[in-house]
């Protein structure tokens, strides 16, 4: 761990170890940069999505239903790595807003499938434009090579963390699952 911390400090001037660690932790840590970036990314998405009357957390649900169509709620939970309780609340709100509807499964009348409404399909078109706009804003000033490199690094970090999460014993008291993608 010390070697990693030393690498991360890189070119910082060597003063007392305590001063360097404090400066690194407070100002330049990967944790802080990622946290700030995530907050700003979410806030910007929220700003853009609010005009479309869609919460940013609903976007992956809408795209998954659009992509696969007619999903059972459990399939939606599994494919998006969300808890059943979370998806239930999201679907209730999305139904109330007219974005999705539940229909009985033609093959098994005991089950219901979730579909996009016409309003939901129209929202998909607007959301594609909105998410592309935010992504373009994020990568303003980057070359294509830098964008591809950053995405590759982010996927590697995601995969590294997912591997570590999968190596950990599961807490049976906690509902839900952990997904890498």
């Amino acid at each position: 761990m010390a070697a990693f911390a030393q690498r991360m400090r890189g070119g910082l001037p060597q003063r007392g170890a305590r001063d360097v660690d404090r400066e690194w932790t407070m100002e330049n840590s990967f944790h802080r940069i990622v946290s700030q970036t995530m907050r700003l990314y979410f806030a910007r998405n929220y700003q853009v999505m609010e005009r479309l009357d869609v919460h940013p957390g609903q976007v992956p649900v809408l795209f998954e239903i659009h992509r696969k169509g007619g999903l059972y709620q459990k399939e939606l939970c599994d494919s998006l790595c969300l808890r059943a309780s979370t998806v239930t609340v999201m679907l209730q709100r999305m139904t109330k807003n007219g974005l999705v509807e539940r229909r009985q499964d033609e093959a098994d009348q005991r089950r219901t499938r979730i579909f996009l409404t016409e309003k939901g399909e129209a929202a998909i078109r607007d959301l594609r434009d909105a998410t592309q706009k935010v992504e373009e804003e994020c990568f303003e000033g980057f070359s294509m090579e830098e964008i591809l490199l950053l995405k590759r690094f982010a996927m590697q970090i995601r995969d590294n963390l997912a591997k570590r999460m999968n190596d950990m014993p599961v807490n049976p008291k906690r509902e839900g699952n952990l997904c890498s993608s």
Side-chain angles (χ1 to χ4, degrees):
M1 191 59 138
F4 174 75
Q6 185 64 38
R7 271 197 340 233
M8 293 303 290
R9 281 193 290 274
L12 291 177
Q14 289 298 321
R15 292 180 290 234
R18 178 174 244 133
D19 292 337
V20 173
D21 283 343
R22 184 173 44 245
E23 185 176 349
W24 175 79
T25 299
M26 292 171 42
E27 298 301 323
N28 302 319
S29 73
F30 181 73
H31 179 271
R32 182 171 183 183
I33 294 166
V34 169
S35 295
Q36 290 171 335
T37 303
M38 286 173 34
R39 276 187 50 203
L40 287 167
Y41 182 77
F42 184 83
R44 182 63 180 130
N45 270 293
Y46 189 84
Q47 207 175 40
V48 171
M49 303 299 163
E50 192 174 39
R51 291 188 283 250
L52 302 175
D53 199 27
V54 175
H55 188 279
Q58 296 172 343
V59 174
V61 175
L62 288 169
F63 276 108
E64 190 69 7
I65 296 169
H66 174 74
R67 191 168 67 88
K68 294 184 178 173
L71 291 172
Y72 296 118
Q73 185 168 328
K74 180 169 181 0
E75 292 173 322
L76 200 51
C77 294
D78 292 346
S79 65
L80 295 174
C81 303
L82 295 172
R83 294 180 176 164
S85 57
T86 301
V87 173
T88 297
V89 171
M90 290 175 84
L91 290 175
Q92 287 171 344
R93 288 182 182 153
M94 292 165 69
T95 300
K96 185 178 177 182
N97 289 341
L99 296 169
V100 299
E101 64 184 1
R102 296 173 188 265
R103 295 186 218 150
Q104 279 189 322
D105 188 331
E106 294 175 9
D108 185 350
Q109 298 291 311
R110 298 169 297 174
R111 300 182 76 190
T112 59
R113 291 185 178 268
I114 302 151
F115 293 88
L116 292 179
T117 61
E118 285 183 32
K119 183 179 177 182
E121 290 290 349
I124 288 290
R125 290 186 292 276
D126 294 340
L127 288 169
R128 275 198 183 116
D129 293 341
T131 55
Q132 185 173 349
K133 176 185 176 181
V134 172
E135 191 164 313
E136 287 170 2
E137 292 171 356
C138 288
F139 294 122
E140 188 176 317
F142 283 75
S143 70
M144 184 53 71
E145 183 179 306
E146 290 169 330
I147 293 169
L148 293 173
L149 202 54
L150 179 60
K151 287 181 179 182
R152 187 180 76 71
F153 290 157
M155 288 187 291
Q156 182 67 48
I157 291 167
R158 178 201 61 202
D159 294 347
N160 289 345
L161 293 173
K163 180 177 182 260
R164 295 292 185 250
M165 295 298 290
N166 291 330
D167 289 347
M168 293 175 57
V170 176
N171 182 348
K173 294 181 182 177
R174 183 165 180 222
E175 177 196 353
N177 56 14
L178 304 169
C179 293
S180 61
S181 57

